[in-house]
Amino acid sequence: MQPFVYNALPARVIFGRGTLSQVGPEIQGLGCNKALVLTTPGQTKEGEALKTDLGVLAVGLYSNATMHTPTNVTEEALLVAQRLGADCVVALGGGSTIGLGKAIALRTDLPQIVIPTSYAGSEATTIIGQTENGLKTTQKTMKVLPEVIIYDVDLTLTLPTQMTITSGINAMAHAVEALYSKDSNPITDMLAEQGITRIANALPILFKDPGNNEARSDALFGAWVCASCLGTVSIALHHKLCHTLGGTFNLPHSETHTVLLPHTIAYNTPFATVAMTKAAHSLGAPSAAQGVFDLAKNLGAPYSLKQLGMKEEDLARAADIAMENPYPNPAPLEREKLLSLLKDAYEGKRPA
């Protein structure tokens, strides 16, 4: 056994069905009684219902959480929280809502209770990405780690099929990067392999039967496991490119992860053969890059940046931005090779 360093993150995780009913007791368990509920505009109805259920424990609802966590939206939400005297936030939703809760916590240290309704995984990490003036930047800090995560499988039963697939592959990206991270270790490797396997097995079932409870449970558990891996190691090229395309070119988050993951795996595989062999085995495929590409395409997910609205003439600029302040990565970062990666992703080519 080689020497390693593993930093476990403190977290209270409640997993099951019908666990939404435990939000109130968890607010009180944090010593709070003035929760601000957060959602996106599309989940306002669910936020209102949760606020009603919480009764006097909720002081309001802010329902304008936005993709890529724009700082102007965070500032608006902060004003609402201050005006209402909120002493904690309850984020109900996917990555956009969870990101807003983390951004508020970064500025105020308000405790967070997070109720994920997708497989985004942000709830289990100390990473926050924020967009300002068309540029998305990230940082890692314990200030944004939620105090409580409540996973309710029932809340994922109505997740649209395509969002299920792209959100699931987004979650897998967390585990893939953990496997080849400079901080990889036997514990996160074991969790990453299990997370990839759970999601890879669940997605084809959910494509045919979106209401399958067992597959929904496996996918949600897998998403937590994958995110837990990423929460303890460093992110690399894949996330750098996704943050670039999302923050600067406003591409949708999970779909961008889905399109790019096969190509970032292919870029890194020659320099991370052991890690990507583990990923391929977890996928049940000869090649990790091709396994992810085939999974996405066969399940009807987008597989090219062109499908997401990316403009070919912007690829060079994206490569330039990705070369700035690069994250640690197994393969050396070379602009022309990155541009080639982006062109392949733009065209939707199956990795060689």
Side-chain angles (χ1 to χ4, degrees), residues 29 61 75 141 161 214-215 275 278 306 310:
L61 168 69
E75 295 301 325
T141 169
T161 302
E214 193 62 32
K278 292 178 180 179
K306 186 188 301 184
M310 185 72 181

Side-chain angles (χ1 to χ4, degrees), residues 237 240-242 244-246 248-249 251 256 259-260 263 303-324 334-349:
L237 172 63
K240 178 67 176 183
L241 287 176
C242 288
T244 297
L245 296 182
T248 302
F249 303 99
L251 296 192
T256 303
V259 170
L260 281 181
H263 302 283
Y303 56 91
S304 75
L305 293 176
K306 186 188 301 184
Q307 290 173 288
L308 303 184
M310 185 72 181
K311 297 177 181 178
E312 187 171 10
E313 57 266 30
D314 286 335
L315 296 178
R317 184 180 172 215
D320 290 337
I321 295 172
M323 289 295 296
E324 299 172 0
E334 301 177 30
R335 183 190 180 279
E336 292 310 309
K337 289 186 177 180
L338 284 184
L339 183 55
S340 178
L341 181 164
L342 289 169
K343 286 181 178 177
D344 287 347
Y346 176 80
E347 295 292 345
K349 293 182 179 179

Side-chain angles (χ1 to χ4, degrees), residues 162-203:
Q162 178 160 308
M163 180 56 71
T164 294
I165 306 307
T166 59
S167 184
I169 295 176
N170 177 13
M172 289 170 55
H174 304 328
V176 168
E177 290 235 298
L179 285 170
Y180 60 58
S181 167
K182 68 182 182 67
D183 310 309
S184 65
N185 59 77
I187 299 169
T188 54
D189 283 4
M190 177 178 61
L191 293 172
E193 291 177 73
Q194 181 175 173
I196 293 170
T197 297
R198 292 271 189 149
I199 294 173
N201 290 341
L203 293 185

Side-chain angles (χ1 to χ4, degrees), residues 114-131:
V114 177
I115 310 150
T117 58
S118 73
Y119 309 128
S122 175
E123 68 279 356
T125 78
T126 58
I127 301 168
I128 179 171
Q130 302 179 92
T131 303

Side-chain angles (χ1 to χ4, degrees), residues 1-160:
M1 176 69 71
Q2 293 184 341
F4 66 89
V5 175
Y6 173 67
N7 291 305
L9 295 178
R12 175 170 171 80
V13 177
I14 300 169
F15 188 100
R17 299 188 61 185
T19 52
L20 187 64
S21 63
Q22 298 187 41
V23 177
E26 291 299 320
I27 291 173
Q28 293 173 313
L30 292 172
C32 301
N33 58 19
K34 295 181 179 180
L36 176 63
V37 178
L38 308 174
T39 71
T40 59
Q43 292 183 298
T44 301
K45 181 179 178 181
E46 291 82 356
E48 289 284 5
L50 177 58
K51 177 176 171 290
T52 298
D53 288 343
L54 292 175
V56 296
L57 292 176
V59 292
L61 168 69
Y62 180 83
S63 58
N64 195 36
T66 304
M67 185 172 62
H68 304 307
T69 319
T71 54
N72 63 301
V73 173
T74 300
E75 295 301 325
E76 181 182 80
L78 276 171
L79 290 175
V80 174
Q82 291 165 357
R83 175 171 56 82
L84 295 174
D87 59 7
C88 67
V89 294
V90 176
L92 172 66
S96 299
T97 306
I98 294 167
L100 176 59
K102 294 170 89 169
I104 292 173
L106 178 67
R107 292 160 172 80
T108 64
D109 278 329
L110 287 181
Q112 303 171 75
I113 296 175
V114 177
I115 310 150
T117 58
S118 73
Y119 309 128
S122 175
E123 68 279 356
T125 78
T126 58
I127 301 168
I128 179 171
Q130 302 179 92
T131 303
E132 186 172 14
N133 298 324
L135 185 65
K136 188 170 185 177
T137 58
T138 63
Q139 62 175 297
K140 293 185 74 170
T141 169
M142 290 295 293
K143 290 181 70 174
V144 304
L145 185 70
E147 280 71 16
V148 179
I149 309 170
I150 297 178
Y151 290 105
D152 190 334
V153 177
D154 291 342
L155 299 180
T156 67
L157 294 176
T158 57
L159 190 65

Side-chain angles (χ1 to χ4, degrees), residues 227-243:
S228 297
C229 295
L230 191 67
T232 61
V233 299
S234 302
I235 53 179
L237 172 63
H238 175 77
H239 279 79
K240 178 67 176 183
L241 287 176
C242 288
H243 294 157

